[in-house]
Amino acid sequence: MTDYRDTLEFLFTALAPNNRKQIELTEDTALVADIGLSSLEVMEFIEKIEDHFDISIPLNILPDVNTVGDLASKVQELNP
């Protein structure tokens, strides 16, 4: 199991190529509103996370995932 901080660091690193606005990424950074990810980019990002952590992220949780911190928490829940 990866700890929460390690999960956040992975997410920050994985998001860097999509951070076109070059904003500082924090737990409170909104994936769509702040970074501006398109729906396709969100799906590609989810796939990258699934591959890295060897988990499956159910699509029905995505409406509840708005920030990097939300996503890190969900990854932690799915990665025992």
Side-chain angles (χ1 to χ4, degrees):
M1 178 176 170
T2 308
D3 81 356
Y4 181 77
R5 285 273 149 218
D6 290 340
T7 300
L8 274 178
E9 287 305 315
F10 171 78
L11 296 178
F12 293 152
T13 301
L15 280 168
N18 297 93
N19 187 6
R20 292 177 286 281
K21 298 177 187 175
Q22 297 299 306
I23 62 170
E24 180 183 356
L25 299 176
T26 69
E27 290 177 82
D28 297 322
T29 302
L31 296 168
V32 175
D34 294 336
I35 299 173
L37 294 180
S38 69
S39 55
L40 177 60
E41 289 170 324
V42 169
M43 296 311 296
E44 289 172 343
F45 185 55
I46 294 297
E47 185 177 310
K48 185 182 289 190
I49 295 166
E50 289 177 330
D51 289 347
H52 180 81
F53 291 103
D54 195 26
I55 60 174
S56 180
I57 299 174
L59 296 179
N60 65 336
I61 70 164
L62 294 182
D64 299 325
V65 175
N66 297 307
T67 67
V68 177
D70 293 343
L71 185 54
S73 294
K74 292 295 182 186
V75 169
Q76 288 298 126
E77 289 174 22
L78 296 167
N79 192 20

